[in-house]
Amino acid sequence: MTLADINWPLILAGLGLFLFGIDYMGDGLKSYAGDKLKDIIDKYTSSPVKGILIGALVTCLIQSSSGTTALTIGLIRSGLMNLNQAVGIIMGANIGTTITAFIVGFDLFQYASFFLIIGAFCLLFSNHPKIKGLAQILFGLGCLFYGLELMSLHLEAVSELPEFIQLVTLFTNHPILAMLGGTITTALIQSSSAMIAIVQQMYHLKAISLYVSIPYIFGCNIGTTITAFLSALKTNSSAKKAAFFHFLFNVIGTAFFMIFLTPFYHFFLTFRFYIPISPRLQLAFIHGFFNIVSTFLVYPFYKY
């Protein structure tokens, strides 16, 4: 097996279909919820705790923590929100973004064709806004799962490459390199959800170990902050501070978990022994646990 034997166009096509599915599903959720997201954010963020809840909710709806953060920076720039409000939303956005990993983790691949068929027919034959919004959600889910399945079929071949085996061995010996790998690859494609889904697939195929997967996911959380930095390039100082907080939040969480990586790894092995769940769902729980604990770590110091 060599690099030339891998069908890279189909892997990239699967990734593209997955990203389109997330985006299209997010559009459907926004349509179904109504055009009130900015009003909700502005009205119910008087305290950081409320901001965390709203940030998580909005991110679940639009399927993108980067999108929520970019929206928040836009509201700061226009003077509709202050920095204290933004901090809560950004923390919540990191929790809300884990929903995609859980969707992937529940192994709904066998229903992908039904999602596509029902979604397509509703889009073709209905003009009702709510039904069209629901149809977009279903069609987006179908694309998401088909994209993952397409990637999975060809990622298995990647796992047999000697170069890939050497890289994984290096990551196993140096978890910091795995974390940096997650940061760089996520920054390049600007989607932590997509990169974490790929890691879930590779772990499911037994191409990478749990010990490599964990720091890689931590790195994905840092890499996704690039979108916030790009959104804040030509904005006021408060918006730049919000973007920097998004970065700092994930760096602090990652630093904490990397220090305690080995104990956390063994703790999760025990959890997995007593509560057997699918490999994809295991990483979804790790991603969720990481972001919730990071929020508890950072919350007492948000004013500073």
Side-chain angles (χ1 to χ4, degrees):
M1 179 67 68
T2 64
L3 282 168
D5 298 321
I6 306 297
N7 199 329
W8 296 107
L10 281 180
I11 292 175
L12 292 173
L15 177 61
L17 198 57
F18 176 84
L19 290 171
F20 171 78
I22 291 177
D23 195 44
Y24 201 65
M25 183 169 60
D27 288 342
L29 284 161
K30 281 188 281 186
S31 299
Y32 194 75
D35 191 23
K36 295 180 179 178
L37 291 180
K38 287 187 180 180
D39 293 338
I40 291 171
I41 289 174
D42 189 42
K43 188 176 179 180
Y44 297 104
T45 54
S46 55
S47 73
V49 173
K50 288 180 181 177
I52 290 168
L53 295 173
I54 293 301
L57 173 65
V58 171
T59 305
C60 286
L61 288 175
I62 68 174
Q63 291 287 296
S64 171
S65 60
S66 299
T68 303
T69 307
L71 177 61
T72 303
I73 287 169
L75 290 170
I76 294 174
R77 185 171 51 194
S78 60
L80 295 172
M81 181 181 291
N82 60 44
L83 184 59
N84 279 346
Q85 289 175 300
V87 163
I89 292 172
I90 290 167
M91 287 190 283
N94 280 273
I95 296 172
T97 194
T98 63
I99 191 69
T100 309
F102 278 102
I103 290 171
V104 172
F106 281 117
D107 291 337
L108 300 174
F109 297 91
Q110 63 267 36
Y111 304 113
S113 56
F114 296 108
F115 293 145
L116 285 172
I117 292 166
I118 296 168
F121 271 91
C122 290
L123 284 168
L124 283 170
F125 299 112
S126 175
N127 290 317
H128 193 282
K130 292 290 184 185
I131 293 176
K132 285 183 82 71
L134 189 58
Q136 277 186 269
I137 295 168
L138 291 173
F139 194 82
L141 268 174
C143 290
L144 183 153
F145 287 123
Y146 261 121
L148 275 173
E149 194 65 20
L150 192 58
M151 280 194 290
S152 182
L153 288 170
H154 299 282
L155 284 172
E156 194 165 8
V158 174
S159 67
E160 296 172 11
L161 290 172
E163 296 89 347
F164 182 81
I165 294 167
Q166 288 173 0
L167 185 65
V168 171
T169 304
L170 183 65
F171 282 172
T172 304
N173 295 329
H174 303 282
I176 290 175
L177 291 179
M179 184 266 291
L180 291 173
T183 302
I184 293 165
T185 51
T186 304
L188 287 173
I189 69 170
Q190 294 195 33
S191 174
S192 61
S193 297
M195 274 314 306
I196 289 169
I198 291 171
V199 175
Q200 285 176 290
Q201 290 296 89
M202 297 300 283
Y203 177 52
H204 173 74
L205 295 168
K206 298 181 180 178
I208 57 176
S209 67
L210 182 64
Y211 195 69
V212 171
S213 304
I214 292 172
Y216 205 97
I217 285 175
F218 298 161
C220 291
N221 282 274
I222 297 174
T224 195
T225 62
I226 188 70
T227 310
F229 274 112
L230 294 173
S231 302
L233 281 176
K234 295 183 179 180
T235 55
N236 56 40
S237 61
S238 291
K240 287 185 173 70
K241 287 176 184 175
F244 182 68
F245 174 79
H246 189 210
F247 171 73
L248 198 61
F249 173 89
N250 285 293
V251 168
I252 290 170
T254 298
F256 175 82
F257 276 94
M258 288 299 288
I259 290 168
F260 298 103
L261 177 61
T262 302
F264 176 64
Y265 168 71
H266 288 294
F267 164 77
F268 196 78
L269 285 181
T270 306
F271 170 83
R272 188 177 67 176
F273 178 77
Y274 287 106
I275 307 175
I277 51 178
S278 72
R280 295 187 189 99
L281 203 53
Q282 288 172 32
L283 294 190
F285 273 106
I286 288 171
H287 188 211
F289 186 76
F290 167 82
N291 282 294
I292 291 168
V293 172
S294 296
T295 301
F296 278 108
L297 280 173
V298 173
Y299 179 79
F301 309 101
Y302 80 92
K303 288 182 180 178
Y304 308 102

